[in-house]
C-alpha cells in the first residue's frame, strides 16, 4: 500500500511539471542551428575565443539562457535579437543538439595552470573567493538540475569576460557576482586558463 502511494505521489509530481519533461530533438536542433554556426561553430565548438563553446553544455542551462535573452533578463547585442524569435520548442531542440555534441579539447596556459588549479579546487580563504569545484565539480561538468553550467573546456577569454561581467553586475547571478567581485584580475586570468584545460 505504501509503495502504491509513493508511486502515485511521484506520478502526480511529475505530471505537475510537464515543461521539465519536455524534450528537444537533436535532429531538429541541428537544422535550427544553421544560424548559430557563424559564432558557435557547426558542432558548438566556437573558433572565436570571445564566444562560448556550447558543445556538451547541459540542455537545461542552454534553455535557461535562451529564455533569459528572449525576455531581456540577459542582454547581449548579438544574442538578444537571435533569441527573440525562438519558440520554446526551438530552444529545446537547439539545447538537445548542443548537449549531444562533443566538446573540443583545449589546453590550459602552463604558466597559469597551477594558480588556476589552486583557486578552482580550494578557493582563496583570505579574499573570500569560494572554490569553483563546489558547484562546477572536479572536472567542470556542473550540475544540470541546479543549472550550474559545464565550464570545462570553455575558452579562457570567454570565461574571463564572463567573470568580469559578473563582478561588474552586468550579468545577474547573486552567487557568481559575489564570488567574481572578490577576484583580482590575476585570479580571473588564472582560473579561466585552468578551466580551458579541464576535461
Amino acid at each position: 500500500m505504501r509503495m502504491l502511494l509513493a508511486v502515485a505521489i511521484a506520478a502526480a509530481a511529475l505530471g505537475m511539471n510537464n515543461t521539465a519533461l519536455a524534450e528537444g530533438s537533436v535532429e531538429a536542433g541541428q537544422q535550427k542551428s544553421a544560424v548559430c554556426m557563424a559564432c558557435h561553430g557547426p558542432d558548438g565548438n566556437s573558433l572565436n575565443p570571445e564566444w562560448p563553446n556550447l558543445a556538451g553544455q547541459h540542455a537545461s542551462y542552454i534553455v535557461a539562457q535562451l529564455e533569459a535573452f528572449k525576455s531581456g533578463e540577459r542582454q547581449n547585442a548579438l544574442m538578444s535579437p537571435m533569441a527573440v524569435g525562438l519558440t520554446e520548442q526551438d530552444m529545446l531542440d537547439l539545447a538537445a543538439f548542443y548537449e549531444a555534441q562533443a566538446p573540443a579539447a583545449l589546453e590550459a596556459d602552463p604558466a597559469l595552470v597551477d594558480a588556476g588549479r589552486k583557486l578552482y579546487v580550494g578557493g582563496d580563504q583570505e579574499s573570500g573567493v569560494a572554490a569553483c569545484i563546489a558547484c562546477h565539480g572536479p572536472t567542470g561538468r556542473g550540475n544540470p538540475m541546479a543549472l550550474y553550467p559545464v565550464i570545462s573546456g570553455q575558452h579562457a577569454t570567454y570565461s574571463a569576460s564572463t567573470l568580469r561581467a559578473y563582478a561588474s553586475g552586468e550579468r545577474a547571478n547573486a552567487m557568481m557576482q559575489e564570488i567574481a567581485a572578490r577576484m583580482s584580475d590575476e585570479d580571473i586570468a588564472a582560473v579561466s586558463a585552468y578551466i580551458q584545460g579541464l576535461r
Side-chain angles (χ1 to χ4, degrees), residues 129-146:
V129 174
C132 310
I133 198 171
C135 295
H136 296 287
T139 59
R141 296 297 304 156
N143 180 335
M145 299 304 287

Side-chain angles (χ1 to χ4, degrees), residues 112-121 132 187 189-195:
L112 298 173
V113 74
D114 287 338
R117 181 187 300 110
K118 285 178 187 170
L119 274 171
Y120 188 91
V121 174
C132 310
D187 290 341
V191 82
S192 297
Y194 179 70
I195 287 167

Side-chain angles (χ1 to χ4, degrees), residues 142-164:
N143 180 335
M145 299 304 287
L147 293 182
Y148 298 153
V150 174
I151 58 173
S152 58
Q154 190 56 263
H155 293 294
T157 301
Y158 178 76
S159 293
S161 68
T162 299
L163 287 168
R164 286 192 293 270

Side-chain angles (χ1 to χ4, degrees), residues 22-32 89-98 100:
E23 290 186 16
S25 160
V26 173
E27 294 76 19
Q30 183 173 19
Q31 292 173 357
K32 293 174 182 180
Q89 191 61 51
D90 291 338
M91 294 181 195
L92 290 167
D93 292 341
L94 287 166
F97 170 68
Y98 286 120

Side-chain angles (χ1 to χ4, degrees), residues 14 78 87 92 95 108 139 145 175:
L14 289 173
L78 294 173
T87 66
L92 290 167
T139 59
M145 299 304 287
M175 182 175 10

